[in-house]
């Protein structure tokens, strides 16, 4: 008999590769029948008639997918679906809604609540298990992608943290670039991509030896060539991950120049992707304000003056750089807080 929360008996739950299905239905007989079927197919089942009890213990129950009855008295399936999706946030968590009805309106309400699939009562066991397996496969792929993306971001931060001079650089470039993107009116998705690009823009420096990165004297031509490879190395590192393809312009093109004298592709003018231009400006500003092995940091005012001179020399898009200077000067970015200045 299923009471508050039924969990597949221990022993069957110990293996890491057993996937866990959350079932919520106010009709106990239905819950028991589903539990029996799904346990028979080798799944770990967490079953309950109580949506609130499930929500209170979600992190501990750790389900991989949910199958929810729509018609429940205290909290209906749509609401529970919405709350589950909100709980898991950006992580993919598939939800199937079980409806006694097959009207289009119910499906539309379900889709609005974030449901991934539906089936109707009375259900066909083969159809139910096929839908569950299909969504679980999708979740596994998504989890792997998320994991790889997380690893790349962790790697970028870890590499930077080894170095006193660059610690926090990418985070500041990310904040500055994102702020600039928002103020010039880019779409929310683009702003998110630019912020991610700020974090990863220098990931290719993993391939540059520390002796070169920390060198106090002028770099030789050969060393300069090694440094200048980092946008391409960064692109190669992130290329296999399709989820990062939208931020590639930040990684590859943050060292291009408006006059075409930059690297790696010597693009000029509007041919330089806007994301690359924005991250390039933020990167250069942060590098000037920060202390480096070969010099003390410049003041904000001095850095902006240098960048203004660089516009005249052809390095930057004049319109974009003027916007950046205005954004900093008008206090739209909390520069002093960002740099821990008094
Ligand atoms: Fe760079």
């Amino acid at each position: 008999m299923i009471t508050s929360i039924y969990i597949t008996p221990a022993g069957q739950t110990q293996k890491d590769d057993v996937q866990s299905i959350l079932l919520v239905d106010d009709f106990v007989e239905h819950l028991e029948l589903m539990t029996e079927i799904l346990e028979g197919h080798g799944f770990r089942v967490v079953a309950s008639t109580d949506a609130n009890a499930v929500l209170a213990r979600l992190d501990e129950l750790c389900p991989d997918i949910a199958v929810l009855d729509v018609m429940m008295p205290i909290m209906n399936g749509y609401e529970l679906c919405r709350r589950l999706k909100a709980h898991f946030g950006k992580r993919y968590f598939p939800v199937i809604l079980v409806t006694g009805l097959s009207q289009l309106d119910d499906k539309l309400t379900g889709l609005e609540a974030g449901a991934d699939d539906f089936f109707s009562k009375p259900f066909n066991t083969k159809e139910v298990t096929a839908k569950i397996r299909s969504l679980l496969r999708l979740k596994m792929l998504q989890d792997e992608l998320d994991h790889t993306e997380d690893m790349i971001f962790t790697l970028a931060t870890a590499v930077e943290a080894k170095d006193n001079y660059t610690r926090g650089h990418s985070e500041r470039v990310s904040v500055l670039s994102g702020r600039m993107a928002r103020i010039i009116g880019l779409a929310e998705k683009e702003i998110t991509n630019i912020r991610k690009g700020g974090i990863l823009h220098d990931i290719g420096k993993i391939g540059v030896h520390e002796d070169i990165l920390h060198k106090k004297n002028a770099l030789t031509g050969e060393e300069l060539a090694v440094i200048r490879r980092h946008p391409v190395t960064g692109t190669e590192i992130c290329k296999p991950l399709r989820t990062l393809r939208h931020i590639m312009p930040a990684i590859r093109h943050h060292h291009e120049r408006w006059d075409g004298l930059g690297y790696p592709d010597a693009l000029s003018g509007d041919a330089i992707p806007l994301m690359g231009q924005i991250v390039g400006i933020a990167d250069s500003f942060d590098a000037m304000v920060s202390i480096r092995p070969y010099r003390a940091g410049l003041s904000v005012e001095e850095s902006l003056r240098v960048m203004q001179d660089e516009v005249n020399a052809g390095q930057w898009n004049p319109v974009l750089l003027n916007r950046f200077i205005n954004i900093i000067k008008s206090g739209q970015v909390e520069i002093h807080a960002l740099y821990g200045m008094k």
Side-chain angles (χ1 to χ4, degrees):
M1 176 70 185
I2 291 170
T3 52
S4 177
I5 295 183
Y6 165 86
I7 302 175
T8 304
Q12 290 179 46
T13 65
Q14 298 305 308
K15 283 192 285 178
D16 283 344
D17 58 347
V18 174
Q19 288 168 305
S20 184
I21 302 174
L22 171 66
L23 299 177
V24 186
D25 193 325
D26 61 315
F27 188 43
V28 175
E29 284 79 0
H30 186 233
L31 212 49
E32 288 175 339
L33 176 64
M34 288 278 289
T35 299
E36 197 180 321
I37 292 168
L38 293 171
E39 279 184 347
H41 279 82
F43 294 110
R44 171 181 181 263
V45 176
V46 174
S48 179
T49 54
D50 185 344
N52 284 313
V54 165
L55 286 172
R57 290 176 58 190
L58 261 186
D59 287 332
E60 165 206 345
L61 297 171
C62 215
D64 294 301
I65 188 170
V67 179
L68 314 175
D69 188 30
V70 166
M71 305 294 279
M72 294 191 288
I74 297 168
M75 185 187 301
N76 67 30
Y78 303 129
E79 180 58 21
L80 181 53
C81 174
R82 254 189 295 272
R83 294 203 191 184
L84 287 170
K85 292 282 182 176
H87 176 88
F88 288 100
K90 279 197 270 180
R91 274 183 297 154
Y92 178 56
F93 181 75
V95 174
I96 300 177
L97 291 180
V98 186
T99 158
L101 314 156
S102 55
Q103 272 96 352
L104 183 62
D105 278 357
D106 294 309
K107 287 201 173 167
L108 288 177
T109 311
L111 287 171
E112 277 167 18
D116 299 271
D117 210 339
F118 304 86
F119 60 80
S120 309
K121 293 185 212 169
F123 58 85
N124 174 304
T125 306
K126 275 190 182 164
E127 184 197 355
V128 170
T129 49
K131 282 185 172 179
I132 288 175
R133 283 192 201 285
S134 157
L135 284 174
L136 283 172
R137 260 196 306 277
L138 193 62
K139 180 173 165 52
M140 267 176 66
L141 287 172
Q142 197 61 52
D143 286 351
E144 266 172 39
L145 273 178
D146 289 348
H147 183 60
T148 314
E149 194 176 310
D150 283 351
M151 271 173 49
I152 288 182
F153 278 93
T154 307
L155 192 62
T157 315
V159 167
E160 189 179 271
K162 284 201 314 183
D163 182 347
N164 275 332
Y165 292 105
T166 57
R167 191 171 298 144
H169 167 69
S170 298
E171 180 59 34
R172 292 190 302 269
V173 171
S174 169
V175 171
L176 284 169
S177 308
R179 199 82 190 97
M180 188 168 167
R182 185 173 297 284
I183 292 169
I184 66 174
L186 298 188
E188 202 59 45
K189 203 159 189 175
E190 193 68 5
I191 296 169
T192 306
N193 287 335
I194 285 177
R195 286 190 59 108
K196 285 185 177 183
I199 296 284
L200 293 187
H201 72 284
D202 269 347
I203 190 158
K205 283 191 176 168
I206 286 172
V208 180
H209 198 279
E210 288 176 20
D211 290 350
I212 299 179
L213 287 178
H214 298 168
K215 193 170 172 185
K216 288 185 177 158
N217 305 321
L219 296 170
T220 65
E222 207 173 308
E223 288 164 341
L224 211 53
V226 171
I227 289 252
R228 287 182 163 211
R229 273 206 292 272
H230 78 270
V232 174
T233 309
T235 312
E236 295 300 321
I237 291 170
C238 298
K239 199 164 65 181
L241 213 57
R242 275 175 55 83
T243 52
L244 295 181
R245 68 189 184 282
H246 297 300
I247 67 166
M248 289 301 194
I251 298 171
R252 187 165 183 115
H253 299 300
H254 68 277
H255 287 295
E256 305 286 358
R257 287 175 53 117
W258 192 246
D259 57 10
L261 298 177
Y263 61 93
D265 298 315
L267 300 180
S268 63
D270 288 331
I272 308 167
L274 184 59
M275 183 184 288
Q277 295 185 41
I278 291 175
V279 172
I281 288 174
D283 178 32
S284 186
F285 174 78
D286 185 77
M288 282 188 219
V289 175
S290 307
I291 299 160
R292 290 292 160 103
Y294 38 88
R295 59 153 174 76
L298 299 182
S299 70
V300 170
E301 293 71 23
E302 283 170 316
S303 302
L304 294 180
R305 216 171 299 133
V306 171
M307 291 182 88
Q308 185 63 65
D309 290 344
E310 289 171 345
V311 170
N312 301 333
Q315 183 164 348
W316 307 111
N317 174 343
V319 176
L320 201 60
L321 193 88
N322 273 330
R323 290 298 298 269
F324 179 72
I325 290 175
N326 288 336
I327 287 165
I328 303 290
K329 284 191 173 169
S330 62
Q332 287 171 282
V333 179
E334 289 290 330
I335 286 295
H336 290 87
L338 197 60
Y339 289 93
M341 297 167 175
K342 286 179 187 156

